[in-house]
Structures are given as structure tokens and as C-alpha cells.
Amino acid sequence: MGSTITANRLTDGVVVWHDGQRGWTTDRAEAALLEGEALDGLLARVRRDDQQLAVDIRGVEIEDGVPAEYRERLRAQGPSVRGDLLRKGHDWAEGPFPPPPSRSHSSPHAGIYRYDEADREFLRQRAAQFGNQVERRLKGELNEEEFKPLRLMNGLYLQLHGYMLRVAIPYGVLSSTQLRQMAYIARHYDRGYGHFTTRQNIQFNWPRLTDTPEILRLLAEADIHGIQTSGNCVRNVTTDQYAGAAADEVVDPRLYAEILRQYSTDHPEFTYLPRKFKIAITGSEQDRAAIRVHDIGLIARRNPAGEVGFELHAGGGLGRTPIIATKLRDWLPAQDLLRYVEAVLRVYNALGRRDNIYKARIKILIRETGAEEFRRMVEAEFAALPADYALLTDDLLAAVGARFEEPPFQALPEAAPAFDAALAQLPGFSDWVARNTHPHRVPGYISATVTLKPAGGIPGDATAEEMELIAGLSEQYSFGELRVSHEQNLILPHVEKEALPVLYAALRKAGLADANAGLVTNIIACPGMDYCALATARAIPVAQRLSERFAAREAEIGPLDLNISGCINACGQHHIGHIGLLGVNRNGEEVYQITLGGASDEQAAIGGIIGPAVPSEDVPDAIGKIVDAYVARRTEGERFIDTYRRLGAAPFKEAVYGAH
Amino acid sequence: MALIDIAGREIPADDRVPLALEELPEGQGLAVLLPAGTLAEEVAPLLPRLALVVVEFPKFRDGRGFTLGRALRERHGFTGDIRAAGHVIPDQLALLRQCGFSSIATPAEHPPAQWQGLKDPTQRQLLQRLLGGEGVARAQA
Ligand code: HEM
Ligand code: SF4
């Protein structure tokens, strides 16, 4: 019995222990075991004196020589799902490194927003500013409480084992050069991999604080950044992964997402909001951006005159209080977009709760004031803006729109003989096409999904080598353009149908041709306790067991969204999975609550809990029973979610828990 | 509590004692102290009698003061001194300026020296260029 004192080292985030005399050590065996006054005294002293050496200083209870809490044992050991890393210990590559890819690559045709020197200079200055903030933190001019929001606004978190850097992939669009630059960061400044998230970001799990300004500077050279990927500000605006490519698209949302990005970056009034603020936008009727669970959700449409406008929703969100958004406007003319968003943000900034972070999101404000009253306040604010203020004029739209270049599509013939032949002959190809492609607006082209969900793999993780390989394929087959989807996959948006068989063969060779987009094994999962300091359970191992278990049956089961979160914060969006799993801690045991009936699309719904939580190791059996119950009851071609909507939860409850 | 102007330069101390809204006497050229959470509408009728508005930031993370400052300056056309007080940090100087603040009562742990010579890139490049001129901030005549 007793406790040891632990912390993360300020400069690099490495987990350290106090030896009771000389100071901090990375070897837990040297940690002093303390009790009572000795513990309290040392804790008080290091909290006062070691501010510039360590962060998150606290005592950890020890039982039988190991930390009593599972989280602390994991913290001492590293992620349970990456035994390979643990053995290597903490070693960062030593420079000098080769020149970054941004020096030699350019992706001239990718449909990213084209930076000019002014845009680029802005990112360089932001990276330099962060360098200055890090210096002031190390010198003690900024304490951790002050520094934390500043680092968060640059995407730098402190997780369980160290720092984590979240880099935005604005509205999910990136070029092959940018992906190569990310691979370069992963290889030289991290530990060889990155994690793509449901919010179209990438996370690096092992950067050093002292390297971060340099990482941001390197990202700036490829026109990417971590600005506002965290913190209580407007976050990365997300959209449909097929934006600008999909055949069913009405309005290309990238233009409006980019305008919102520029508008919200360092917004003087809205950078210290009550809580984070997430905006999503879709330009097709089929909602692939989950807009109804965002703080502001936008559906771009055209009126009969062909003009663009938005249906605007607000106050959706997940976390501990999942709420489907309230519709504020059926039609908002495009020119008023920023004006209306500003009115919503202003009411929220002035009135959102700041006394309790769990009640600080806009969804709670809307619920507490009532939708009608909230709408009235927003409309009043909107009406009081000067008439010419922040209008999206045609000139402005044209100027930003001109930065998105149309790829040089060819006029392709209707017939695609190689494609047709491969459908009939190439093993696995027709399944892959059926699930992993989406119709393109230009005849002869198609969008192809590379799922990062191999059976038994870590959802959303990609190694530096995989990133480079996929970047190379995008250069060969998709104008050097890529997308990240909210399902944590990568997409080659503009592939010639005739080239698809060759692309498929190349992906297959690299082990990246799983035909599981939209299926039960395409699991969305948050990092859970293997990485996250807030977690109550490990989400990744459950995802791994489920994908292994169902890989052989995925085709038979058909379309099914399965989402897993490692705690109530719901980063894995379990509430909106057709099947959702929430990991909680029940007396030291990892158990999972099962929800059914959630959906993120036009018929967005929050899933309902079907019964008591089941132990982690029993989850695959429980899901197996749910799936069997569905397969036994479905009508011809009926999806899981439709069977659920038709029959309700009863047959599934019975399948899992037995009849009562 | 040293004072600085909105360019970060130290300015002479100010012996006016700002009063709470409800304690305001008759007269002109008054100084008022607005706690966080005050809405612009509550102050607007009094503005013609005020020379100094002190907006309190209980924590630098509490951004209500930005909305209040901007509303007083832009919506209600206040031309007097708007001062930030409480816990604000040098990294917020540019935001304060753009939200209409004209002076800052610096907190003890961030003396005037820290507010000078900061590389401050937040010159609103993106927003300014997007919307033209001062971006969202428009000085009122
Ligand atoms: C260090 C890692 C992370 C931390 C500390 C973290 C923290 C949080 C917290 C506290 C919330 C709840 C917000 C609220 O209810 O107000 C949340 C929500 C959310 N996060 Fe994370 N998160 C992390 C990683 C991720 C990852 C990896 C993803 C994507 C896979 C993600 C996506 C989301 C989403 C989609 C939500 C719910 C939507 C909403 O905001 O209501 N987060 N996160
Ligand atoms: S859901 Fe919980 S465990 Fe998972 S990433 Fe979010 S905060 Fe961490």
C-alpha cells in the first residue's frame, strides 16, 4: 500500500515518477512509495517547484507493487494494442532528416484550396508564435493553466502516455504532397504512424512539446496546420468525403467550408467560447457528414432560381447528453451564411454556461432557453447586423471558388471494357466495387474508398509507409487528390473506371483492399484507454475482436454501422451507430453498454440502450446474437437499421439477454 | 496594476475608481465596472454618460468580455475608453484590440514588459482578406 507521485515530463510528455529525493525518473522501479504526510508534503512541494519540469503531477495508489487503477498501469506500460512499440522504449529519431516532401512534390491538380504566399505566411507566423509560447512556458512566463488553452488551439493535447498533436484535414480534402508530409512527420517526429479521426483530422500520438513548433512549421510548408483542432473555439469544419465529386451532389460544400474556416480562424470574438464548436456541412440530400449531431449543421441546396442557400440546424451533439439538432432556418441565402453563423455564435458566447463544462455546449443553452426563444434571440442579433456586414458577395464567392481548381478530367467514352471484364473475372473486384466506390459526377470516373479497417487492425491507423503508398496511388490514379472520411477511411475521389482494376490490384498487393466500406467490420472507434486520459475502457481491442469475428460474415450481414467509444464523451459516436458500444468501468472491469437504432444520416437518431452492460470479452457473442436475430428476421434486402425500425428493440433484447 | 494601451505600451496610472452599474451617480464622464456576464443592452442607455468602461475577465478563458467589448464599440457606438481587467494574457492583445478594447489593466503575473515585442501574427490575415478592411471589426465614427 501507499502511493507514488507521477507526472508527464514537460518537454516531451514522457511518463515520469518521483524518486522521493533527487527528482523525476522514467523508471517506475525507482519511484518512491510514500504515505500520509510524506506524500502530501512532497506532492505540495513538487507542484510548487517543478512546474517547469512536469505537468499533471499527482499521486497514484499502489497495490501489490503496481498501480491500483488499470488506467495507471496502462499509462506505465504504454498502449496495450502496440506491444511492438513498448519494447522499443522512448527513442525519437535524431536528425538531420532528409528534405521534406513539400520540397520535391506539388500535386498541382488536387482539389485543395490553393494557398498563396499570404496564406502560407500566416501559417508560418502561427508556427513561430507557438514556438514563442513554448519558450515562455519553459521559462515560466506562462504557467500550465495559461499555456494549455494555447497549445490546445494549436492541436496539442496531453494524453495518457504523452503529447498528441491533432492536425486538421480541412473538410477532409488533402493532396498527395500533404499526405506525404504527414508520413514524414510520423516517421521522423513520431513513431511511424498516425490515426485518422471521425472529424477529418489526423492525430500523432508521440510528438515532443519541444519539437511541435518545428512540426507545425513543416506542416505549414505543405499548407496544413493544427489550428483550432482543439480548444473552446470553432473546430475543423467537416463535410461529405465525396464533396465536389459525388454524382448526387447539389452544391459543392468545400467552398463554404473553406470560407467558414477562414472566418473562424483566430476570430477575435469567438476564440474563447464556453466550449468547443463543431460545424458540418453537406451538399447532397444524402447526409454523409452527420450534420444533425453538430453544433451547427448545414444542408446546402438550390432554390428553383438556382441560387444556393442553406437549411440550418443548431444544437446537435453527442457526449453525455446526445441531442439531435434543432432546425433554425429552412432557407438561409448563401450570402448571409457568415452573418447568421455570427449571430448564433454571439448569442452562444454571451449566454452559454461557463459554470459547468458538461453543460457548456450550445445544445444545453438551446435546451434550457427553449428552441423558440433561442431562435428569436438569434434572429434579433442577425437583424441588428449592419446590412453590408460580412456578406458573401458574388465576388467573394468567386475569388475563393477560383482557388479550387477543377481537375483536368477527360471526356471518357461510355464503355469501360477493362472495368466490365474485371467485374466478371478479377476475384474480389466486384464486391469491392459494390461497397467501396461511389458514383462520380463526371462520366467514366468513380470515387474509391481505401478502408483502414483490416480484420484485427486498429481502426483509422495508418503507417508512414501506407500513407506514402496511398499518396503514390492517388498521384497515379486520382490527380494527386485524397479525402478522409468520417468513417476514418481514405478515399481516392476521381479514379477513371477503366483504371479501377489496376488500382484494386495494387491495393490488394499492399493489403489495403478490404471490401468492407459500410459493413459491420468498418468500425468507427475512438482511441479509448490505450491512448486517452479520459477513457473508462479500451475501445480498440473490442474493435479488433469484432472485426476478426465478423470478417467472414460481413458480406452476408450487409450494411451496418458499428461505433465504439471508450467513454461517455462519445468520440467514437456510439450514439449514432446502428449498433453502438460504450465502454464503462464497473468496479474495475471493462464492460460495454449496447445501444441500437442510432443513425447519422437524414433520419438521424440517438440509439437506445437495450439492457445491462456486458463484459468486454462477451461483446463479440452479444453482437453475434443481435446479428443472428436480424438475419433471421430481415426481409429480402432489408438493412439492419430498417429491420430495427420495423421491429423495435424487443427481438434483439431477447436475443442478448434471453426472455424474461 | 500597471496600465497599457492597446499597442502594448505602458501608460500612466489612472486614479478613477470604476463603480458598479447600480451605484452610478448622476453626471458625466463616469467610469463603470462591468462584471463578466453583463450584457451590452444593460449598459447601452448609460453610455453617453460614461468615459471609461472596465470589462472584467475572471479567467482569460472566459470570452464573454470579447462579445461585450465589441457590442459596446460597434453596435452601440461607444467612443470612450474600453479597458480589459482581471485575468487576461499577452497572447490576447490582438483579439482585444479587434474587439474594441483601448486599454488593459495588466495582471500582476503579466507585467507590461511581457506585452511588448511579442511576435504577434494575429493580424487577421485570413478574415481580413476574406471580408476586406478590418475583417469583422469596424471602428465606429
Ligand atoms: C486525446 C484524445 C481525445 C480527447 C481528450 C477527446 C475529448 C472529447 C470530449 C471531452 C468530448 C465531449 C465533448 C462534450 O460533450 O462537450 C469529445 C467529443 C467528441 N470527440 Fe473527442 N477526444 C479525443 C479524441 C477524439 C478522436 C480520436 C475523435 C475521432 C475519432 C474524436 C471525435 C469526437 C467526436 C465526434 C465527439 C462527439 C461530438 C460532440 O462534440 O458532441 N475525439 N471529445
Ligand atoms: S470517447 Fe472518451 S475514451 Fe474515446 S477518445 Fe473520446 S474522451 Fe477518449
PDB file of all heavy atoms in Angstrom, chain A residues 286-309:
ATOM      1  N   GLN A 286     -28.393  13.115 -49.411  1.00  0.00           N
ATOM      2  CA  GLN A 286     -27.939  12.023 -48.568  1.00  0.00           C
ATOM      3  C   GLN A 286     -26.830  12.559 -47.673  1.00  0.00           C
ATOM      4  O   GLN A 286     -25.765  12.934 -48.150  1.00  0.00           O
ATOM      5  CB  GLN A 286     -27.417  10.868 -49.433  1.00  0.00           C
ATOM      6  CG  GLN A 286     -27.349   9.572 -48.644  1.00  0.00           C
ATOM      7  CD  GLN A 286     -26.513   8.524 -49.354  1.00  0.00           C
ATOM      8  OE1 GLN A 286     -26.293   8.583 -50.557  1.00  0.00           O
ATOM      9  NE2 GLN A 286     -26.054   7.548 -48.602  1.00  0.00           N
ATOM     10  N   ASP A 287     -27.108  12.607 -46.377  1.00  0.00           N
ATOM     11  CA  ASP A 287     -26.194  13.272 -45.457  1.00  0.00           C
ATOM     12  C   ASP A 287     -25.070  12.336 -45.028  1.00  0.00           C
ATOM     13  O   ASP A 287     -25.270  11.446 -44.215  1.00  0.00           O
ATOM     14  CB  ASP A 287     -26.988  13.768 -44.244  1.00  0.00           C
ATOM     15  CG  ASP A 287     -26.095  14.382 -43.187  1.00  0.00           C
ATOM     16  OD1 ASP A 287     -24.888  14.577 -43.453  1.00  0.00           O
ATOM     17  OD2 ASP A 287     -26.598  14.667 -42.095  1.00  0.00           O
ATOM     18  N   ARG A 288     -23.886  12.569 -45.560  1.00  0.00           N
ATOM     19  CA  ARG A 288     -22.733  11.753 -45.174  1.00  0.00           C
ATOM     20  C   ARG A 288     -21.840  12.495 -44.184  1.00  0.00           C
ATOM     21  O   ARG A 288     -20.739  12.067 -43.896  1.00  0.00           O
ATOM     22  CB  ARG A 288     -21.927  11.375 -46.433  1.00  0.00           C
ATOM     23  CG  ARG A 288     -22.629  10.355 -47.321  1.00  0.00           C
ATOM     24  CD  ARG A 288     -21.843  10.073 -48.598  1.00  0.00           C
ATOM     25  NE  ARG A 288     -21.926  11.176 -49.534  1.00  0.00           N
ATOM     26  CZ  ARG A 288     -22.742  11.225 -50.584  1.00  0.00           C
ATOM     27  NH1 ARG A 288     -23.559  10.214 -50.841  1.00  0.00           N
ATOM     28  NH2 ARG A 288     -22.767  12.275 -51.379  1.00  0.00           N
ATOM     29  N   ALA A 289     -22.315  13.619 -43.688  1.00  0.00           N
ATOM     30  CA  ALA A 289     -21.479  14.415 -42.781  1.00  0.00           C
ATOM     31  C   ALA A 289     -22.069  14.488 -41.374  1.00  0.00           C
ATOM     32  O   ALA A 289     -21.550  15.208 -40.535  1.00  0.00           O
ATOM     33  CB  ALA A 289     -21.284  15.817 -43.349  1.00  0.00           C
ATOM     34  N   ALA A 290     -23.149  13.756 -41.121  1.00  0.00           N
ATOM     35  CA  ALA A 290     -23.755  13.718 -39.781  1.00  0.00           C
ATOM     36  C   ALA A 290     -24.063  15.123 -39.261  1.00  0.00           C
ATOM     37  O   ALA A 290     -23.788  15.456 -38.115  1.00  0.00           O
ATOM     38  CB  ALA A 290     -22.858  12.958 -38.800  1.00  0.00           C
ATOM     39  N   ILE A 291     -24.671  15.944 -40.116  1.00  0.00           N
ATOM     40  CA  ILE A 291     -24.835  17.360 -39.746  1.00  0.00           C
ATOM     41  C   ILE A 291     -25.789  17.560 -38.572  1.00  0.00           C
ATOM     42  O   ILE A 291     -25.735  18.582 -37.894  1.00  0.00           O
ATOM     43  CB  ILE A 291     -25.301  18.216 -40.955  1.00  0.00           C
ATOM     44  CG1 ILE A 291     -26.713  17.817 -41.398  1.00  0.00           C
ATOM     45  CG2 ILE A 291     -24.333  18.129 -42.130  1.00  0.00           C
ATOM     46  CD1 ILE A 291     -27.671  18.946 -41.245  1.00  0.00           C
ATOM     47  N   ARG A 292     -26.658  16.583 -38.322  1.00  0.00           N
ATOM     48  CA  ARG A 292     -27.641  16.779 -37.245  1.00  0.00           C
ATOM     49  C   ARG A 292     -27.079  16.514 -35.848  1.00  0.00           C
ATOM     50  O   ARG A 292     -27.795  16.640 -34.871  1.00  0.00           O
ATOM     51  CB  ARG A 292     -28.877  15.915 -37.506  1.00  0.00           C
ATOM     52  CG  ARG A 292     -29.710  16.459 -38.665  1.00  0.00           C
ATOM     53  CD  ARG A 292     -30.726  15.440 -39.151  1.00  0.00           C
ATOM     54  NE  ARG A 292     -31.474  15.924 -40.309  1.00  0.00           N
ATOM     55  CZ  ARG A 292     -31.041  15.881 -41.564  1.00  0.00           C
ATOM     56  NH1 ARG A 292     -29.833  15.404 -41.843  1.00  0.00           N
ATOM     57  NH2 ARG A 292     -31.790  16.331 -42.559  1.00  0.00           N
ATOM     58  N   VAL A 293     -25.828  16.111 -35.764  1.00  0.00           N
ATOM     59  CA  VAL A 293     -25.217  15.969 -34.440  1.00  0.00           C
ATOM     60  C   VAL A 293     -24.042  16.943 -34.294  1.00  0.00           C
ATOM     61  O   VAL A 293     -23.073  16.664 -33.614  1.00  0.00           O
ATOM     62  CB  VAL A 293     -24.781  14.526 -34.126  1.00  0.00           C
ATOM     63  CG1 VAL A 293     -26.006  13.641 -33.957  1.00  0.00           C
ATOM     64  CG2 VAL A 293     -23.861  13.976 -35.209  1.00  0.00           C
ATOM     65  N   HIS A 294     -24.172  18.096 -34.931  1.00  0.00           N
ATOM     66  CA  HIS A 294     -23.143  19.122 -34.805  1.00  0.00           C
ATOM     67  C   HIS A 294     -23.718  20.390 -34.167  1.00  0.00           C
ATOM     68  O   HIS A 294     -24.929  20.578 -34.132  1.00  0.00           O
ATOM     69  CB  HIS A 294     -22.544  19.426 -36.176  1.00  0.00           C
ATOM     70  CG  HIS A 294     -21.536  18.397 -36.597  1.00  0.00           C
ATOM     71  ND1 HIS A 294     -21.901  17.157 -37.070  1.00  0.00           N
ATOM     72  CD2 HIS A 294     -20.179  18.415 -36.565  1.00  0.00           C
ATOM     73  CE1 HIS A 294     -20.798  16.457 -37.340  1.00  0.00           C
ATOM     74  NE2 HIS A 294     -19.741  17.200 -37.034  1.00  0.00           N
ATOM     75  N   ASP A 295     -22.836  21.246 -33.700  1.00  0.00           N
ATOM     76  CA  ASP A 295     -23.296  22.493 -33.081  1.00  0.00           C
ATOM     77  C   ASP A 295     -24.031  23.351 -34.104  1.00  0.00           C
ATOM     78  O   ASP A 295     -25.055  23.955 -33.811  1.00  0.00           O
ATOM     79  CB  ASP A 295     -22.106  23.242 -32.474  1.00  0.00           C
ATOM     80  CG  ASP A 295     -21.471  22.430 -31.355  1.00  0.00           C
ATOM     81  OD1 ASP A 295     -22.039  22.401 -30.260  1.00  0.00           O
ATOM     82  OD2 ASP A 295     -20.434  21.786 -31.598  1.00  0.00           O
ATOM     83  N   ILE A 296     -23.471  23.405 -35.317  1.00  0.00           N
ATOM     84  CA  ILE A 296     -24.237  23.942 -36.445  1.00  0.00           C
ATOM     85  C   ILE A 296     -24.124  22.930 -37.570  1.00  0.00           C
ATOM     86  O   ILE A 296     -23.026  22.461 -37.886  1.00  0.00           O
ATOM     87  CB  ILE A 296     -23.705  25.319 -36.929  1.00  0.00           C
ATOM     88  CG1 ILE A 296     -24.062  26.419 -35.914  1.00  0.00           C
ATOM     89  CG2 ILE A 296     -24.295  25.671 -38.292  1.00  0.00           C
ATOM     90  CD1 ILE A 296     -23.642  27.822 -36.357  1.00  0.00           C
ATOM     91  N   GLY A 297     -25.266  22.573 -38.154  1.00  0.00           N
ATOM     92  CA  GLY A 297     -25.278  21.654 -39.289  1.00  0.00           C
ATOM     93  C   GLY A 297     -25.937  22.344 -40.470  1.00  0.00           C
ATOM     94  O   GLY A 297     -26.970  22.994 -40.312  1.00  0.00           O
ATOM     95  N   LEU A 298     -25.330  22.233 -41.632  1.00  0.00           N
ATOM     96  CA  LEU A 298     -25.831  22.943 -42.811  1.00  0.00           C
ATOM     97  C   LEU A 298     -26.101  21.966 -43.942  1.00  0.00           C
ATOM     98  O   LEU A 298     -25.275  21.101 -44.230  1.00  0.00           O
ATOM     99  CB  LEU A 298     -24.777  23.943 -43.290  1.00  0.00           C
ATOM    100  CG  LEU A 298     -24.411  25.072 -42.317  1.00  0.00           C
ATOM    101  CD1 LEU A 298     -23.061  25.670 -42.688  1.00  0.00           C
ATOM    102  CD2 LEU A 298     -25.497  26.141 -42.334  1.00  0.00           C
ATOM    103  N   ILE A 299     -27.259  22.121 -44.584  1.00  0.00           N
ATOM    104  CA  ILE A 299     -27.523  21.386 -45.819  1.00  0.00           C
ATOM    105  C   ILE A 299     -27.604  22.418 -46.934  1.00  0.00           C
ATOM    106  O   ILE A 299     -28.492  23.279 -46.926  1.00  0.00           O
ATOM    107  CB  ILE A 299     -28.861  20.619 -45.745  1.00  0.00           C
ATOM    108  CG1 ILE A 299     -28.882  19.715 -44.512  1.00  0.00           C
ATOM    109  CG2 ILE A 299     -29.082  19.810 -47.033  1.00  0.00           C
ATOM    110  CD1 ILE A 299     -30.248  19.087 -44.258  1.00  0.00           C
ATOM    111  N   ALA A 300     -26.650  22.353 -47.856  1.00  0.00           N
ATOM    112  CA  ALA A 300     -26.655  23.312 -48.969  1.00  0.00           C
ATOM    113  C   ALA A 300     -27.625  22.825 -50.044  1.00  0.00           C
ATOM    114  O   ALA A 300     -27.636  21.651 -50.395  1.00  0.00           O
ATOM    115  CB  ALA A 300     -25.248  23.441 -49.536  1.00  0.00           C
ATOM    116  N   ARG A 301     -28.457  23.745 -50.530  1.00  0.00           N
ATOM    117  CA  ARG A 301     -29.444  23.404 -51.554  1.00  0.00           C
ATOM    118  C   ARG A 301     -29.489  24.511 -52.604  1.00  0.00           C
ATOM    119  O   ARG A 301     -28.909  25.567 -52.423  1.00  0.00           O
ATOM    120  CB  ARG A 301     -30.841  23.318 -50.924  1.00  0.00           C
ATOM    121  CG  ARG A 301     -31.021  22.247 -49.898  1.00  0.00           C
ATOM    122  CD  ARG A 301     -32.449  21.690 -49.986  1.00  0.00           C
ATOM    123  NE  ARG A 301     -32.551  20.493 -49.167  1.00  0.00           N
ATOM    124  CZ  ARG A 301     -32.986  20.489 -47.903  1.00  0.00           C
ATOM    125  NH1 ARG A 301     -33.398  21.615 -47.330  1.00  0.00           N
ATOM    126  NH2 ARG A 301     -33.041  19.370 -47.217  1.00  0.00           N
ATOM    127  N   ARG A 302     -30.253  24.240 -53.664  1.00  0.00           N
ATOM    128  CA  ARG A 302     -30.543  25.295 -54.637  1.00  0.00           C
ATOM    129  C   ARG A 302     -32.040  25.544 -54.654  1.00  0.00           C
ATOM    130  O   ARG A 302     -32.821  24.601 -54.584  1.00  0.00           O
ATOM    131  CB  ARG A 302     -30.097  24.874 -56.042  1.00  0.00           C
ATOM    132  CG  ARG A 302     -28.613  25.011 -56.225  1.00  0.00           C
ATOM    133  CD  ARG A 302     -28.187  24.670 -57.644  1.00  0.00           C
ATOM    134  NE  ARG A 302     -26.744  24.463 -57.662  1.00  0.00           N
ATOM    135  CZ  ARG A 302     -25.860  25.455 -57.646  1.00  0.00           C
ATOM    136  NH1 ARG A 302     -26.250  26.725 -57.659  1.00  0.00           N
ATOM    137  NH2 ARG A 302     -24.564  25.198 -57.643  1.00  0.00           N
ATOM    138  N   ASN A 303     -32.433  26.806 -54.773  1.00  0.00           N
ATOM    139  CA  ASN A 303     -33.867  27.110 -54.913  1.00  0.00           C
ATOM    140  C   ASN A 303     -34.227  27.001 -56.395  1.00  0.00           C
ATOM    141  O   ASN A 303     -33.348  26.796 -57.236  1.00  0.00           O
ATOM    142  CB  ASN A 303     -34.193  28.474 -54.288  1.00  0.00           C
ATOM    143  CG  ASN A 303     -33.542  29.624 -55.048  1.00  0.00           C
ATOM    144  OD1 ASN A 303     -33.013  29.428 -56.150  1.00  0.00           O
ATOM    145  ND2 ASN A 303     -33.571  30.816 -54.465  1.00  0.00           N
ATOM    146  N   PRO A 304     -35.541  27.146 -56.721  1.00  0.00           N
ATOM    147  CA  PRO A 304     -35.928  26.986 -58.134  1.00  0.00           C
ATOM    148  C   PRO A 304     -35.176  27.935 -59.066  1.00  0.00           C
ATOM    149  O   PRO A 304     -34.967  27.628 -60.238  1.00  0.00           O
ATOM    150  CB  PRO A 304     -37.428  27.292 -58.114  1.00  0.00           C
ATOM    151  CG  PRO A 304     -37.861  26.954 -56.716  1.00  0.00           C
ATOM    152  CD  PRO A 304     -36.709  27.301 -55.837  1.00  0.00           C
ATOM    153  N   ALA A 305     -34.727  29.071 -58.532  1.00  0.00           N
ATOM    154  CA  ALA A 305     -33.970  30.008 -59.377  1.00  0.00           C
ATOM    155  C   ALA A 305     -32.503  29.584 -59.523  1.00  0.00           C
ATOM    156  O   ALA A 305     -31.720  30.256 -60.195  1.00  0.00           O
ATOM    157  CB  ALA A 305     -34.041  31.410 -58.786  1.00  0.00           C
ATOM    158  N   GLY A 306     -32.140  28.507 -58.849  1.00  0.00           N
ATOM    159  CA  GLY A 306     -30.755  28.028 -58.974  1.00  0.00           C
ATOM    160  C   GLY A 306     -29.807  28.646 -57.968  1.00  0.00           C
ATOM    161  O   GLY A 306     -28.611  28.364 -57.974  1.00  0.00           O
ATOM    162  N   GLU A 307     -30.331  29.505 -57.079  1.00  0.00           N
ATOM    163  CA  GLU A 307     -29.455  30.139 -56.100  1.00  0.00           C
ATOM    164  C   GLU A 307     -29.185  29.203 -54.924  1.00  0.00           C
ATOM    165  O   GLU A 307     -30.038  28.410 -54.532  1.00  0.00           O
ATOM    166  CB  GLU A 307     -30.106  31.418 -55.554  1.00  0.00           C
ATOM    167  CG  GLU A 307     -30.289  32.484 -56.607  1.00  0.00           C
ATOM    168  CD  GLU A 307     -31.439  33.431 -56.265  1.00  0.00           C
ATOM    169  OE1 GLU A 307     -32.303  33.087 -55.419  1.00  0.00           O
ATOM    170  OE2 GLU A 307     -31.481  34.506 -56.867  1.00  0.00           O
ATOM    171  N   VAL A 308     -27.985  29.358 -54.344  1.00  0.00           N
ATOM    172  CA  VAL A 308     -27.597  28.495 -53.237  1.00  0.00           C
ATOM    173  C   VAL A 308     -28.077  29.070 -51.907  1.00  0.00           C
ATOM    174  O   VAL A 308     -28.068  30.281 -51.692  1.00  0.00           O
ATOM    175  CB  VAL A 308     -26.059  28.345 -53.198  1.00  0.00           C
ATOM    176  CG1 VAL A 308     -25.623  27.542 -51.971  1.00  0.00           C
ATOM    177  CG2 VAL A 308     -25.562  27.666 -54.477  1.00  0.00           C
ATOM    178  N   GLY A 309     -28.534  28.176 -51.062  1.00  0.00           N
ATOM    179  CA  GLY A 309     -28.906  28.568 -49.706  1.00  0.00           C
ATOM    180  C   GLY A 309     -28.741  27.367 -48.782  1.00  0.00           C
ATOM    181  O   GLY A 309     -28.353  26.285 -49.231  1.00  0.00           O
TER     182      GLY A 309
END
